[in-house]
Amino acid sequence: MRKREVDELRSRLFHAGNKSWRDFEKLAALRKDVRAVVERNLATWTPEERAKAERQCFFDQNADLTALYRALDKDNAALAAVPVCNLPIMKELTAKEARTTRVFHRGNWLDKEDPVAPITPKILNAWHDEYPRNRLGFAKWLTNGENPLTARVQVNRVWEQLFGVGLVETLEDFGSQGDKPLYQDLLDELAVRFQTGMKWSQKALLREIVLSQIYRQSAKASPMLVERDPANRLLARGPRFRLTSEQLRDQALAAAGILSRKVFGPPVMPYQPSGMWLTPYEGRDWVTATNADGHRRALYTFIRRSATYPSFVTFDAPRREFCTVRRIRSNTPLQSLDLLNSPVFFEAAEGLAKRMRAEGGLDVESQLKRGVFLATLRPPRAEQIAVLKKLHARVGGNLTLVANAILNLDEVINKN
């Protein structure tokens, strides 16, 4: 906003002046880089060069503009002081610089045949001649409305995130080896609307699905329905499935009130058991974060392919040794042990216990009700409070152990 004010005021002063650029300051008094710009034809100046010359000329000519310049310098200095995590970005080589790719005869890299060029499968939509033969052209080909897969694949992926399983269960395979969707017409209609009416808007697609009657169904099911359709492929009930490893960790920290809301920046190293970080090829160590960075979202956890964060692997997170399109959920005893005994979840239980005491008052029942509400975001049932009261008495009034049990409730670790 401040930069726009500078530009507008500077432009008015420039056009209102009757003197030429060389009349404002003697060329010899100008800085070398500014003088090199001013001596050139005005029509050849770039916007950056024009701004530099105008600043040199008008800095002391107008009090308002001078104040804005100083404020802008202060903002730029504050911005430059923000730590930046530099990441390498892959850049596509131009056609002249690109290497020549050849077919290997019978897979032998020493026996090379004719060169090949990038091309799309002929079975799909045709390639338009005006598209460049690079990633930009490929993106246009994917999203030009003629491709039969792009919208369907994306709709199916969003559906899987919300329901636990896609309309096509094999997210990674829409071909002849993949599963045939039970509701092909539903997938086709959503895909067409995603391209046309929604104009590829993820927000509009999510809104369409979560406000539908089929998504807002109850997840409860009769024994007969479970026996007939255990995976809910017929969509006769609402979605119910276990949260991902990252979601479980973030949810526990959020319920405890200790989740860090800090965003951006380099990855962090939360607590993990000793002996897990084995790096024979370099001397880097796992330095556990001791401040609020240890409670940042799981998105910022440092990941190494040869030593993945153990709690994530326990809950089926990929090891990143290869591309994983679909996570396969499992249920193992080790997952229960992790939720009960992991230092991260036990620390979350301690935080939840503190909130229960601070926000629930002095009455034990009120504290238990507050704990259940913080974990489930709904008023607790009477039978739940009765069971938690018995547990509270059995553990000698240790509210941390009760909070740990609350965080392990089935409706807390599962999406219902």
Side-chain angles (χ1 to χ4, degrees):
M1 180 64 71
R2 185 169 285 135
K3 184 178 184 301
R4 186 161 57 244
E5 294 176 5
V6 171
D7 293 341
E8 291 176 355
L9 183 54
R10 186 177 58 202
S11 178
R12 289 201 302 268
L13 289 172
F14 175 73
H15 289 294
N18 295 320
K19 297 182 179 181
S20 67
W21 279 94
R22 294 170 178 79
D23 294 334
F24 282 105
E25 295 284 347
K26 294 181 179 180
L27 290 178
L30 296 177
R31 296 201 321 262
K32 183 177 180 180
D33 57 334
V34 178
R35 187 169 67 249
V37 174
V38 173
E39 289 176 343
R40 289 179 13 222
N41 188 345
L42 183 64
T44 65
W45 292 5
T46 65
E48 293 78 12
E49 292 172 339
R50 181 188 180 96
K52 184 185 296 184
E54 289 177 347
R55 177 190 175 103
Q56 178 72 22
C57 177
F58 293 123
F59 188 80
D60 294 323
Q61 302 296 323
N62 181 277
D64 293 337
L65 186 60
T66 301
L68 284 173
Y69 269 131
R70 291 198 173 110
L72 183 61
D73 290 341
K74 185 177 179 180
D75 292 345
N76 289 333
L79 182 63
V82 175
V84 178
C85 180
N86 294 319
L87 296 176
I89 299 176
M90 182 176 64
K91 183 178 180 181
E92 188 174 14
L93 296 175
T94 62
K96 295 181 180 180
E97 298 173 330
R99 70 174 186 179
T100 301
T101 303
R102 297 178 180 273
V103 176
F104 296 159
H105 180 61
R106 300 178 67 86
N108 183 3
W109 62 276
L110 293 175
D111 188 3
K112 301 176 182 179
E113 296 187 342
D114 298 334
V116 293
I119 195 171
T120 53
K122 293 182 179 180
I123 194 174
L124 299 177
N125 51 306
W127 183 277
H128 293 201
D129 294 335
E130 62 270 20
Y131 292 169
R133 293 283 178 175
N134 53 23
R135 288 186 294 172
L136 175 61
F138 184 59
K140 292 181 177 181
W141 175 81
L142 283 174
T143 57
N144 64 6
E146 301 172 4
N147 192 293
L149 285 177
T150 307
R152 286 182 175 90
V153 169
Q154 182 57 24
V155 166
N156 193 58
R157 287 184 61 83
V158 173
W159 190 279
E160 189 269 345
Q161 293 294 313
L162 296 174
F163 283 86
V165 60
L167 291 169
V168 177
E169 185 174 0
T170 52
L171 268 68
E172 70 281 2
D173 193 346
F174 262 63
S176 59
Q177 301 298 316
D179 291 344
K180 183 179 177 63
L182 294 178
Y183 298 104
Q184 178 74 55
D185 53 345
L186 174 60
L187 178 61
D188 293 343
E189 180 181 353
L190 281 175
V192 171
R193 293 179 58 194
F194 182 49
Q195 295 179 86
T196 56
M198 301 179 192
K199 297 181 179 179
W200 301 95
S201 170
Q202 291 282 97
K203 183 177 180 179
L205 177 61
L206 286 167
R207 179 183 177 86
E208 180 74 17
I209 297 177
V210 299
L211 293 182
S212 65
Q213 183 178 356
I214 192 172
Y215 181 79
R216 293 188 291 175
Q217 294 179 105
S218 171
K220 296 180 180 179
S222 63
M224 182 178 65
L225 183 58
V226 172
E227 181 180 0
R228 180 185 177 188
D229 183 24
N232 195 26
R233 302 294 291 131
L234 299 176
L235 302 176
R237 58 184 182 274
R240 183 182 182 278
F241 55 91
R242 197 202 69 228
L243 300 178
T244 64
S245 55
E246 296 89 344
Q247 291 170 339
L248 287 171
R249 180 180 183 276
D250 292 351
Q251 176 183 253
L253 295 177
I258 58 177
L259 179 66
S260 173
R261 304 293 177 175
K262 181 180 177 182
V263 295
F264 308 123
V268 297
M269 296 181 175
Y271 172 84
Q272 72 170 354
S274 59
M276 299 298 299
W277 182 254
L278 302 176
T279 56
Y281 305 108
E282 63 173 328
R284 180 184 297 180
D285 295 324
W286 183 276
V287 182
T288 303
T290 56
N291 50 20
D293 284 346
H295 299 148
R296 295 190 69 184
R297 292 175 56 198
L299 173 70
Y300 297 99
T301 300
F302 190 93
I303 297 294
R304 185 184 181 89
R305 284 181 295 177
S306 58
T308 313
Y309 194 61
S311 182
F312 291 174
V313 178
T314 303
F315 289 94
D316 310 314
R319 294 181 178 272
R320 305 198 182 191
E321 295 175 350
F322 47 83
C323 179
T324 301
V325 179
R326 175 173 54 129
R327 293 190 187 187
I328 305 299
R329 294 182 182 87
S330 65
N331 291 288
T332 66
L334 187 59
Q335 294 171 354
S336 299
L337 292 173
D338 190 284
L339 290 173
L340 286 169
N341 302 313
S342 170
V344 174
F345 289 101
F346 198 80
E347 188 177 6
E350 291 178 333
L352 179 58
K354 291 179 181 178
R355 292 191 68 183
M356 292 164 64
R357 293 191 190 94
E359 303 173 20
L362 301 176
D363 182 49
V364 173
E365 182 172 340
S366 299
Q367 293 175 353
L368 297 177
K369 288 181 178 179
R370 184 58 181 169
V372 173
F373 178 81
L374 290 173
T376 63
L377 296 181
R378 64 155 182 81
R381 295 186 292 270
E383 57 269 22
Q384 281 184 315
I385 299 302
V387 173
L388 291 175
K389 278 185 176 181
K390 293 180 180 179
L391 176 61
H392 185 267
R394 286 183 58 186
V395 298
N398 191 327
L399 208 57
T400 298
L401 296 180
V402 178
N404 196 7
I406 292 175
L407 292 176
N408 280 269
L409 290 174
D410 187 69
E411 60 182 306
V412 175
I413 65 175
N414 289 279
K415 174 181 177 178
N416 293 279

